[in-house]
Amino acid sequence: MSASRGLAVRWVVAEAATPYRTDTQVEQAHEVAVSLAAGRARVILPLARVAAAVVSSKAHREFGYARLEDFCRERHGRGSRWIRDLAVLQGHFEAMPSLAAAVLGDDGGAPLHVSAAMAIGAMAGTESVDRWIALPRTGKASWALRLAGSSLERLQRLTEMAGTGDARALDRQLGELLRLQNVLELRLGEVLREMGEMKGWGRLGFEDAGHYAERVLSMSRTAAEDRLWVAAAIRPFALVRQAYERGELTWEAVRSVLRLLQGTDGSDLEGQRAWIGHGRACTVKRLRDEAKAGRRAAVLGRHSGRPMTDDAWHASLRREPGTAAQRMAGFGARLVSDAERQTVKRRMDEEPLRLRLPGDVAHDLMRAVRARFDVVRRMVREVPEFEPWPDPEAPASALVTRTFSTRGWRPPLWVGLLGLLEDCVALWDPVEANVGGPDRRELLARSGYRCSAPGCTGRDNLQDHHLRFRSAGGGPELTNRESLCVFHHQRGIHGGLASARGVAPLGVTWRLGRGAVGGRFRNEKRV
Ligand SMILES: [Zn+2]
């Protein structure tokens, strides 16, 4: 990350070492949290400007990324929704300057919740904006901006140049602002964790941290919960924390590293150093691959807890047509025998499945789950209980439902979700998929049906690329071939935004962006 060292916030929660015990201490922590949130809100104005410029200029392509999402995740450790929301917010700020002042708290009120500002921007005309702003704001005015004292001037300068310049300038601005944001948010997470430990939510009249963050801190519930999780997870790992504060690990990278470190001992400094080095070198794409492989290995009791070698990582990507169907069948068989066992002992062990989704998506998902649940139940009822079940090869959703209903139990709703998963796998991962000849089949299996460009998560319309061009005498052997998405094949390699040289699969060096501005990589590692 190209963050400048000039923007360090030298500020520490001085009381962090001693636990708060009284209401006064909760009150103090509350004021610290409010001031941190206000500092965070202040960074949002220039961030929104940069975000809008990045989105409209498609700056990600100059850096060799097919998608804004991949650029944000790999270079800045944030999701694409994050940058798109900020760009929309910038549009609102331009249309309604008083909204920007309200987000900052410059109009004398507490900073306005950013998502509230989004909603206001979407609803209000310019003439009614002041009335809308007054609605969601409660609480006292923030004294907090003082906290970022030493950096306010710098922030002022950044704000003036935010959103101007070429792709490189925008990338630099984004990096610098995010490093500040990350430090503020890390502290905020720590203060929230302490407030939780002091049972501060009840004392202050809130249900939980999310409720508090939404109402007081200009922060969404999920953002607050994520910060809390990091603050708790990073606690035993002092070196990781330091690397994150210095901007050596981005938000996404630090979360991946913390997931990979879970269950290990913070006193193993060598282990921490290994993961920090790995986290700095690897793309988030690879870190996530390793986390996934690690979870699979852990189930089998074979997780080493150390970064993977290139060979092991690459082997973990492999998937044949029908791999998902096979895993699904194994999982289904387990559920069927669980249902047998549990209905016999007349007690059901349930583990809650928690998904965090946007409201409308959650609503649609639950509707689909219920509809699928009804379909399975109707289908199972067609066979009277005293008759033997005709199809032992039936999907697990049907067999589980049958087991529950013949024993007088109401089938659980998750059967609907299971049915949806079975449908999805059957449709999208048929064993007999027609993916081309044996070479192409192997090429795709080897790359895990994914574009091989660094950081690229594209899976659609994968094309076959010859590393040494056919026009230059390159042969058809698999060591000379890579599967690439359309962007990386045509606009990337053949359009000058990327290059790939070497011997596939593990000896290919990539250059991303015009003039390698996006860096050089091999096996999803910076070189
Ligand atoms: Zn790609």
Side-chain angles (χ1 to χ4, degrees):
M1 210 167 113
S2 54
S4 138
R5 290 288 127 86
L7 198 61
V9 176
R10 292 264 156 258
W11 188 85
V12 200
V13 185
E15 301 87 344
T18 45
Y20 300 91
R21 284 196 190 80
T22 67
D23 284 342
T24 328
Q25 284 166 324
V26 171
E27 191 61 33
Q28 280 172 357
H30 164 66
E31 289 189 7
V32 169
V34 169
S35 65
L36 285 164
R40 183 177 176 270
R42 192 144 274 258
V43 184
I44 282 178
L45 192 70
L47 266 179
R49 265 191 216 163
V50 184
V54 166
V55 171
S56 69
S57 69
K58 297 193 167 35
H60 58 280
R61 295 194 169 164
E62 279 302 304
F63 284 85
Y65 288 94
R67 307 194 278 182
L68 181 62
E69 185 185 356
D70 293 336
F71 166 80
C72 280
R73 187 190 61 248
E74 295 300 342
R75 287 193 69 81
H76 299 291
R78 296 287 172 139
S80 64
R81 188 169 173 146
W82 172 83
I83 201 164
R84 286 186 205 280
D85 280 355
L86 277 173
V88 170
L89 191 60
Q90 177 59 19
H92 297 334
F93 285 163
E94 281 166 16
M96 311 164 203
S98 52
L99 196 59
V103 168
L104 295 181
D106 272 359
D107 59 351
L112 179 68
H113 194 315
V114 171
S115 52
M118 295 278 293
I120 290 169
M123 288 187 298
T126 27
E127 65 294 334
S128 61
V129 65
D130 292 332
R131 191 166 50 80
W132 279 100
I133 287 170
L135 287 178
R137 304 170 78 188
T138 52
K140 58 194 171 181
S142 154
W143 48 266
L145 295 168
R146 192 153 31 119
L147 123 88
S150 64
S151 68
L152 261 185
E153 247 178 55
R154 175 78 185 132
L155 193 58
Q156 185 55 40
R157 276 204 299 282
L158 261 173
T159 305
E160 281 157 20
M161 63 174 150
T164 62
D166 60 6
R168 286 176 198 231
L170 295 176
D171 178 72
R172 243 189 337 266
Q173 293 161 12
L174 209 48
E176 188 162 346
L177 289 164
L178 266 172
R179 205 175 74 77
L180 177 62
Q181 190 83 315
N182 287 344
V183 173
L184 290 169
E185 291 183 347
L186 178 62
R187 305 274 190 238
L188 193 51
E190 287 168 340
V191 174
L192 290 177
R193 185 178 54 73
E194 284 172 21
M195 289 172 81
E197 282 171 4
M198 293 185 283
K199 311 226 178 307
W201 314 130
R203 291 182 188 203
L204 291 169
F206 295 93
E207 286 160 25
D208 53 23
H211 186 209
Y212 173 78
E214 279 182 340
R215 303 307 293 270
V216 182
L217 299 181
S218 301
M219 219 173 176
S220 72
R221 168 176 288 272
T222 48
E225 285 171 355
D226 286 347
R227 270 74 197 167
L228 260 171
W229 182 84
V230 166
I234 210 168
R235 211 173 176 189
F237 305 110
L239 296 179
V240 176
R241 187 181 191 287
Q242 200 178 46
Y244 180 50
E245 282 193 22
R246 286 181 182 155
E248 293 167 8
L249 295 172
T250 64
W251 166 249
E252 281 297 335
V254 84
R255 288 206 300 171
S256 294
V257 164
L258 288 173
R259 277 194 206 104
L260 286 156
L261 273 165
Q262 261 182 347
T264 69
D265 188 350
S267 65
D268 176 10
L269 295 183
E270 269 320 298
Q272 281 191 60
R273 282 195 196 97
W275 278 113
I276 292 165
H278 205 57
R280 291 179 64 176
C282 289
T283 60
V284 175
K285 177 186 174 189
R286 172 153 170 179
L287 293 174
R288 288 184 178 177
D289 289 341
E290 292 197 23
K292 210 190 254 178
R295 280 198 299 274
R296 277 206 298 269
V299 170
L300 304 169
R302 295 196 215 118
H303 189 35
S304 76
R306 284 291 162 117
M308 289 171 99
T309 62
D310 289 347
D311 283 320
W313 159 73
H314 188 257
S316 80
L317 301 182
R318 187 175 185 88
R319 54 184 311 145
E320 315 280 348
T323 298
Q326 222 173 51
R327 287 185 188 149
M328 196 70 211
F331 178 57
R334 255 179 56 191
L335 290 175
V336 172
S337 69
D338 279 359
E340 285 285 340
R341 214 163 26 79
Q342 299 199 354
T343 46
V344 163
K345 70 176 180 182
R346 310 218 132 265
R347 187 172 63 82
M348 183 142 65
D349 303 324
E350 279 190 302
E351 277 183 52
L353 169 68
R354 215 173 143 232
L355 299 175
R356 247 176 22 188
L357 302 167
D360 49 342
V361 179
H363 179 258
D364 289 350
L365 175 71
M366 282 316 289
R367 219 167 46 179
V369 167
R370 283 202 189 91
R372 193 66 180 76
F373 176 70
D374 291 340
V375 169
V376 181
R377 287 192 83 189
R378 264 203 306 279
M379 199 180 78
V380 168
R381 276 196 203 124
E382 279 171 16
V383 181
E385 281 181 19
F386 49 82
E387 275 182 25
W389 182 252
D391 178 14
E393 300 293 308
S397 56
L399 296 177
V400 167
T401 305
R402 163 86 174 180
T403 305
F404 275 96
S405 39
T406 50
R407 295 191 173 158
W409 291 55
R410 187 187 154 76
L413 187 60
W414 56 254
V415 166
L417 179 60
L418 180 61
L420 288 176
L421 292 172
E422 287 164 349
D423 296 347
C424 175
V425 167
L427 182 65
W428 293 102
D429 190 31
V431 185
E432 295 305 322
N434 178 18
V435 293
D439 273 5
R440 184 165 158 80
R441 205 180 164 95
E442 170 57 24
L443 185 64
L444 291 168
R446 172 178 95 178
S447 65
Y449 285 81
R450 191 170 62 176
C451 175
S452 302
C456 184
T457 50
R459 293 179 182 278
D460 296 343
N461 300 323
L462 295 176
Q463 298 184 344
D464 200 342
H465 169 61
H466 289 70
L467 290 163
R468 191 177 151 87
F469 297 168
R470 274 171 295 187
S471 55
E477 59 276 8
L478 284 170
T479 48
N480 192 41
R481 286 160 69 180
E482 280 281 37
S483 59
L484 299 182
C485 71
V486 176
F487 175 88
H488 278 113
H489 194 202
Q490 291 171 6
R491 312 229 9 214
I493 290 188
H494 295 294
L497 288 173
S499 79
R501 296 215 167 78
V503 179
L506 286 165
V508 180
T509 304
W510 276 87
R511 157 186 78 65
L512 279 192
R514 223 179 280 287
V517 60
R520 291 171 200 281
F521 298 82
R522 178 181 290 190
N523 299 325
E524 302 287 338
K525 269 166 143 173
R526 285 164 193 86
V527 288

